[in-house]
Amino acid sequence: MRRAVVKGVGHYLPERVVPNAEFEKTLDTSDEWIKARSGIERRHFAAADETTSDLATHAAKAALAMAGMDGNDIDAIVLATSTADLTFPSAATMVQHNIGNTSGYAFDVQAVCAGFVYALSNANALIMSGQADRVMVIGAETFSRIMDWTDRSTCVLFGDGAGALILEAEEGNGDAADRGVLSTDLNSDGRYKDLLYVDGGVSTQNTGMLRMEGKEVFRHAVEKLAKTADTALEKVGLGPDDVTWVVPHQANIRIIQATAKKLGVEMERVVVTVQDHGNTSAASIPLALSTAVANGQIKQGDLVVTEAIGGGLAWGAVVIRW
């Protein structure tokens, strides 16, 4: 059976680090208040001349270096973002050019904070169907560009960054012992679009800013994240006890803790980077994966579950044997 096996990961964070204390100058907030409610201590903001595709390119090059590949070794690039440089063309095609790829194809996926899970699922499908042998999956965001800096409930939560992962086709036995993507589970429900959205867009001719009903998003997140992870595991006959690492969307430490408890996984088996990166939307999971590999946490053979939820609402999970 054809499997999509991870060959390299990489990430990039902008140079500017913004600690919680910086928000105390302009908002009725404090380092203690932000940490207590989110677990976030700092985040990175892109420079004025840095775009989402710039961040994505740095992460892509890091992943290529780890995999020992160059740009033209990649057949396809799937880039998850809600903050592309331009309305069109896609940020993915800009990365394609920046890494010197002239023989593949590239496109963006937009599912907000669940974007990387959606992109990873699409990349897996391209490999499983034989449409590509090597696919680069990227999550990249510059959410600092869509913040309402007067809204203390949202602007302190988000940051900028990018992460990339390279998948390559390999033959497996078709069971849960195989390396690579073992299962995916994707979901969305447009009835909840008003819980997390940007109040502008191309057809409204207004860039807009991020708006969120935090308490409602929290309630949906814990229930839906645990369920989608369970479903993805069940598809390959596995359960929480088989999981080496859960790598969740890094939105809020309380959501991460509550979801882990509901899933039945101890926090010692959960990768947590939210304290250093904040919520980087579609970049959050690949950033956490790359960081965990660099730290020596995730190793070959480990069973990894990623799960995320974002505006839409859209949510999903992917099970990977590293």
Side-chain angles (χ1 to χ4, degrees):
M1 182 178 180
R2 198 169 161 95
R3 293 290 196 190
V5 177
V6 178
K7 292 297 178 178
V9 291
H11 68 274
Y12 175 78
L13 291 160
E15 184 177 338
R16 182 186 172 195
V17 179
V18 181
N20 290 341
E22 191 163 321
F23 292 102
E24 296 175 2
K25 303 171 186 176
T26 56
L27 294 170
D28 179 18
T29 192
S30 67
D31 176 47
E32 293 76 15
W33 189 90
I34 297 168
K35 283 194 292 191
R37 285 158 180 78
S38 69
I40 299 167
E41 299 177 21
R42 64 194 66 83
R43 74 288 291 144
H44 294 247
F45 284 169
D49 61 349
E50 274 187 316
T51 65
T52 294
S53 68
D54 291 332
L55 273 56
T57 298
H58 285 298
K61 289 180 177 179
L64 285 169
M66 182 178 178
M69 300 178 186
D70 64 34
N72 270 326
D73 290 326
I74 303 299
D75 298 319
I77 299 169
V78 186
L79 193 157
T81 188
S82 298
T83 52
D85 303 13
L86 303 172
T87 301
F88 64 81
S90 68
T93 57
M94 298 176 190
V95 174
Q96 180 186 25
H97 171 68
N98 291 342
I99 65 172
N101 181 291
T102 57
S103 58
Y105 55 94
F107 59 95
D108 288 356
V109 169
Q110 207 275 56
V112 201
C113 299
F116 186 77
V117 169
Y118 272 62
L120 191 55
S121 180
N122 273 273
N124 179 59
L126 290 174
I127 288 176
M128 294 284 285
S129 64
Q131 296 182 75
D133 291 325
R134 289 174 173 163
V135 183
M136 177 179 287
V137 191
I138 306 171
E141 302 282 15
T142 49
F143 258 52
S144 61
R145 307 285 158 77
I146 54 171
M147 289 295 102
D148 178 351
W149 299 112
T150 67
D151 182 2
R152 70 169 188 167
S153 68
T154 58
C155 72
V156 301
L157 301 178
F158 293 87
D160 303 335
L165 177 149
I166 296 172
L167 297 173
E168 183 175 44
E170 287 188 5
E171 289 301 315
N173 296 319
D175 57 33
D178 286 349
R179 288 187 64 205
V181 176
L182 301 181
S183 69
T184 66
D185 181 63
L186 301 180
N187 310 268
S188 66
D189 193 332
R191 290 177 297 172
Y192 302 113
K193 66 181 181 65
D194 293 333
L195 299 185
L196 178 55
Y197 65 101
V198 169
D199 59 359
V202 176
S203 67
T204 60
Q205 298 186 30
N206 169 31
T207 302
M209 296 177 181
L210 185 143
R211 308 298 179 192
M212 179 170 66
E213 297 291 337
K215 290 181 180 178
E216 282 298 299
V217 170
F218 186 103
R219 182 175 66 84
H220 281 282
V222 174
E223 173 196 346
K224 289 176 169 56
L225 289 174
K227 184 176 180 181
T228 189
D230 267 332
T231 300
L233 285 165
E234 287 170 3
K235 287 181 178 181
V236 281
L238 298 172
D241 290 344
D242 299 303
V243 176
T244 314
W245 294 103
V246 174
V247 184
H249 169 48
Q250 307 287 319
N252 180 305
I253 190 61
R254 294 187 300 157
I255 292 176
I256 293 170
Q257 291 168 338
T259 302
K261 183 178 180 180
K262 195 173 182 66
L263 187 58
V265 174
E266 305 87 355
M267 283 300 295
E268 289 75 19
R269 291 191 282 149
V270 179
V271 173
V272 180
T273 60
V274 68
Q275 70 279 0
D276 296 321
H277 303 159
N279 183 344
T280 54
S281 189
S284 135
I285 286 176
L287 264 172
L289 285 169
S290 182
T291 300
V293 170
N295 290 343
Q297 292 171 282
I298 297 177
K299 301 179 178 68
Q300 185 171 319
D302 286 354
L303 188 75
V304 177
V305 177
T306 67
E307 28 96 337
I309 187 169
L313 292 172
W315 66 99
V318 179
V319 177
I320 309 168
R321 177 78 64 188
W322 208 259

